[in-house]
Every structure is written in C-alpha cells, then in structure tokens.
Amino acid sequence: MVHTSGLQGRLPGCGCHGTPVGCKPFRGAQLRFRKTPASNRVDVQTHCATSNSNVSNVKLPATHKEASQRALDQLRASSSIVNRYAMEKKSSIIAIGLTIHNTPVEIREKLAIPEARLVRSKHACIPFSFLAFQQSHWLTCVLFQAEWPRAIEELCAFPHIEEAAVLSTCNRMELYVVAVSWHRGVREIEEWMSHSSGLSLAELRPHMFLLRDRDATGHLLKVAGGLDSLVMGEGQILAQVKQVYKVGQNSTGFGRHLNGLFKQAITAGKRVRAETSISSGAVSVSSAAAELAQLKLPSRSFSDARVCIIGAGKMSRLLVKHLASKGCTDVMVLNRSRPRAEALAEEFPEVSFDIRLMDQLMPSVQQCDTIFAASGSEAILLHAADIANMPAASEAVGGLRRFFDISVPRNVASDVNTLETSAHVYNVDDLKEVVSANKEARQQAAQEAEVLLKDEQLAFEAWRDSLATVPTIKALRGKAESIRSSELEKAFGKLGGALTKKQMRAVEDLSRNIVNKLLHGPMTALRCDGNDAAAVGETLANMEALERMFELSRLEIAASAALRR
C-alpha cells in the first residue's frame, strides 16, 4: 500500500529530516511506481537528488494536503495500479461522540454545540433576527448565529469528509459523518472534536464511542426510537433528531446519504412509539427532574415548596407541564425577556406564574427552595459563594435548598454541594435514580422495538446499496456513447462529403437507436427502487458482472482523477 501521508516533512524511504548535506528537501524527489511480478504490489522508490540536474517527475507542493491529493490523483489515474483506498467504492458512515451513559457532564458540556448561539455586536445591525437595545450609548445587536451549520461546514472542509451532521443535546453530543476513508475520516473528526472542546484526545478517548456503517446507522435508529435515552422511550429525542434533519436541509454538507439516514431514523422513531408501548409511562429529562424533586421533598408534595425555574424555553415548558401534573400550582420563572415567559404562562392557565427578569436572579433564588435551572446560558449562573449567605430554606422542605440543573453546559456550579447542610445541586447525571425505577417495565417494549428497528435498518441499507448502481449506469452509458461517437466519426471520415446533412443525421440517429436498444437490457438490470433487499442484492450482482465485462472500474478511476484535477 502507498501511504501518501508519508509525503509530509519527510520523504518515504529517506532518512533525511530538515536540510542535511547532500539532500535537498522535496525538490528533486522522484516517485517511481514499480509493479512487482510476484504480488502485483506497488513499490514506491524515493531518491534524494544530489544536484539540480536531477529534475523531479512529480513536483510536490509545499503543504501536506496538496501533496497527498496530488499523489492520490496519480494513483487513481493509473490503470495499471490497484490501490485499496483509491478503489473503495462505498464511503463509510461514521458515528462518533459522547453520551450520558459513559461521559460525565464536565466533559459533555465542553463539546456541547447549541443549535444557535447569541452573539452581541456593537456595530450597525444587519438584516437577521435580532434584539436591539440601547446600552452605554451604543446600539448593541443580539444576533442568533447558527452553530450546527457552522460545525457541519468545518467538518466537511476536511479532505476525507463528504457529509456531516450534529446531534447535540443535554444527554449526548454525537457526530454522524460520511467519509471516503474510514481511518483518515476518524482522525479528522477527532482533530475537530479536540480543537472544538479544548480537550486533548487523551482526555476525550476514554469516554468516546466509535461506530461504523451498520453499527453507526443502527445506533441512530435506536437513538430516534428512544432505546438509547436515559429515560427509555422518551419522546424529546425524536423531536431533536427531526430538528437535525430540518437544519440539515439548509446545509450543503448534509448530503444524500445522511439525508436518507435521518429520514429513515425519523420514520423508525415514529413506528416504535406508535406500534409498541415503550412511551407509556416514559418521561423526558424534564419530567425525570420533576419526579426527582418530588422524591427529595420530605412530604413528597410541591404544596410545601416554593418553586423557581430559570429559563423559559422548551425544557422549561416541559418542566411546568410535569410539575403541574404533580400538583404544583405556583411557579416563579426567570428569563432574559418577559414576552417568552408570558407566552409560557399563557400555555398553563391552571398555574400561577410570578415572572421576573434575570437581573433579579439572586433575590429570587433566595425566596425559593426548589430551583430548576433550564436556561440556554453557557456560563455558570450560581456558585456556592452566591448561596452561602442566603437564609436557610424552610423546615417544610427539610431546611435544604435544592437545585435541579438540567442545562448543558451547567448553570449551577458543582461546588454548591460543599454547602452540605444548606444546599444541594443535582445535574442530569443524577436523574439515573429516577430512571432505574421504571427501567424494567419498559424492557419488553424495547425488545419489540428492536424488531421494528431492524426492519427500518434493512430498508435504509437496501436504499443505500441501490445508490451504488448509479455510477455504473453513468459509466456504462458514457463508454457506449464514447464508442458510438468515435466509430461514427471514423465512418464519416471514410465517406468524405458523400452524405448530405440530412443523411448524416439519419445515420447518427440510427447509431443512437442501436446503442439504446443494446443498453436497454443491462440498464434495466441495474435499476431498482431500493425497497426490496433481495432485489437490491440481485441488482448489485448484475452491476459487478457488467463492471467486469465492460471494464468500467478503470473508467471510474480515471474519471475521478480528472474531476479532482
């Protein structure tokens, strides 16, 4: 195998580093491809030039990416070279990331990517959705910058990554990627994750999962079906998968393969919830937080508690919904702006709301004893020092002020737990206590769901396999058209000007009709709708036979190299 990465900084087979005497780096390097009779293996011989007269056949560019690309194109363009990487027909689907099952929140929050991020700019406002207000005589614009499309764009900028998608929630941060090379693709994803989080690979790898192709697609289907959630069967994750698909429609890096995969995942998630009882009694993270809060209250009743919710987004709406179902009738809500909090209050007329702005955070927390943090803030809002001097909570709740932080990144610092007698904070990892109580009851439904997911995975794989015939169809028709036009040109040359324009058009139409009729059978054998796995298998067998008969693989290599140039 030829390792093109060896072209960086040091020539393969040469012991030179830097610019030693007698060897000029890169300049004058000669790559000679020699096919050995015994094994048809490609050997690369590298010689260091000792004089300016030994001119290179291949001039290596200054950067590693350009050098690797040039060498790869040269390999693909040569019909006599067989290279496993260059000849790989199907790209790999890679799933890589971190989940609540094996990663502490301290790591997850550093990799969390919000769908959109607030960006403040003291410049002229541009035509985006923004909130404008006067501050210190400057017009400050609060812009919503899309983060998922930015991450997709950055990932697809790597040379071996074709498509990318980001699924980032409070419980998981997962990347789905289509890569032309499995190993190189994984290396590039890891590089991006390390750079994005500020963590080294040594810190990330113990917590990361890595799946390929069938395992990767199966994992996403389980995620959408709720089988991989902290609370099995919860419905919030399906809505989040739908949002990934929706955002992807406006991202060029969300290509055909991932578009099909996420569409299949959404279908699978709907089927699991409609055809099994996995969602009956199941709760979301917000519901689990409400249930945990109820369990921690000495009376098991919210009538004795003074409840506060920080934030008025989707998580807060679900919190209010589940708190109301457990008998909570009075809630204080803090938010950056009043309109969103007022809209939340309108949804729940049975609950009495006390709406306040974030500048009243400390006095509001001081008045409450059961505080839920569910804001989109990326900074810690409450530290131990902020709470230490607050009056103790009422004896009705055991004299303990309890914080339930379901935000990722966290809003409440973990050092609050040092105030053992006056305060305690629970984060999303602590919700496992609630989940374990209902886990066994949903195992039977999960087994039924597994059967449905296998059907959906087979449907996706059949569809993806059917795509493999498209290049063969194009190559076969292209080769036939090339032969037709070449032979027609020869015939017209022999005839000279003996034919009129009308006669020449008739002969050309005749040649096209002959080619089309000859190709009709092979083309029909290469077409299928992708819904029948058996039919797809037969189509793929036909494709391989046609590629051998018409030597289409060589054409694909040459065409790929030409496109890259």
Side-chain angles (χ1 to χ4, degrees), residues 69-294:
Q69 191 62 65
R70 182 69 61 84
L72 182 57
D73 288 346
Q74 188 174 35
L75 289 175
R76 284 176 167 166
S78 175
S79 62
S80 62
I81 295 175
V82 178
N83 179 273
R84 179 180 61 82
Y85 171 49
M87 288 288 291
E88 188 176 357
K89 291 197 172 201
K90 186 186 289 187
S91 300
S92 295
I93 295 180
I94 301 170
I96 184 171
L98 312 167
T99 72
I100 193 172
H101 302 301
N102 50 23
T103 310
V105 67
E106 292 86 355
I107 302 293
R108 295 201 312 275
E109 66 185 3
K110 291 183 179 179
L111 259 174
I113 304 174
E115 181 183 342
R117 191 188 305 272
L118 284 173
V119 180
R120 299 174 186 270
S121 175
K122 289 187 177 181
H123 298 285
C125 292
I126 54 177
F128 286 95
S129 295
F130 63 86
L131 219 42
F133 56 91
Q134 193 72 25
Q135 186 181 48
S136 303
H137 307 291
W138 286 89
L139 183 63
T140 302
C141 297
V142 182
L143 307 177
F144 292 92
Q145 176 179 317
E147 289 295 297
W148 287 358
R150 177 193 59 80
I152 292 172
E153 183 180 353
E154 289 179 359
L155 284 164
C156 291
F158 285 99
H160 298 94
I161 295 178
E162 295 179 317
E163 303 177 25
V166 178
L167 176 59
S168 183
T169 73
C170 59
N171 287 340
R172 65 186 69 247
M173 190 283 175
E174 300 179 356
L175 300 174
Y176 293 87
V177 163
V178 177
V180 294
S181 169
W182 156 251
H183 295 289
R184 291 171 175 83
V186 170
R187 184 179 62 193
E188 290 166 357
I189 299 168
E190 288 181 332
E191 178 185 331
W192 183 88
M193 292 176 72
S194 177
H195 180 268
S196 177
S197 64
L199 298 172
S200 67
L201 287 178
E203 294 173 289
L204 286 174
R205 279 177 175 158
H207 308 288
M208 285 167 50
F209 72 85
L210 175 60
L211 302 169
R212 180 181 185 181
D213 292 332
R214 187 176 179 83
D215 292 331
T217 58
H219 174 73
L220 179 58
L221 296 182
K222 286 182 179 179
V223 168
L227 272 67
D228 194 62
S229 297
L230 176 61
V231 183
M232 189 179 295
E234 58 99 358
Q236 193 173 357
I237 187 62
L238 179 57
Q240 290 161 338
V241 171
K242 288 179 179 178
Q243 189 62 22
V244 174
Y245 177 78
K246 181 180 178 181
V247 170
Q249 302 310 299
N250 298 318
S251 302
T252 55
F254 193 81
R256 178 170 56 179
H257 292 86
L258 290 183
N259 189 78
L261 175 58
F262 273 81
K263 188 183 293 185
Q264 200 77 46
I266 293 169
T267 301
K270 290 178 179 178
R271 281 195 65 192
V272 166
R273 287 163 179 80
E275 299 179 30
T276 72
S277 59
I278 195 169
S279 59
S280 63
V283 288
S284 65
V285 172
S286 300
S287 177
E291 189 172 340
L292 179 61
Q294 188 178 36

Side-chain angles (χ1 to χ4, degrees), residues 412-444:
V412 183
S414 58
D415 63 357
V416 170
N417 287 332
T418 60
L419 310 173
E420 297 179 359
T421 59
S422 60
H424 191 88
V425 58
Y426 303 89
N427 59 41
V428 289
D429 291 353
D430 297 309
L431 298 181
K432 294 175 182 177
E433 180 182 339
V434 178
V435 176
S436 59
N438 299 321
K439 197 170 184 179
E440 291 183 6
R442 291 190 283 270
Q443 287 301 322
Q444 181 60 40

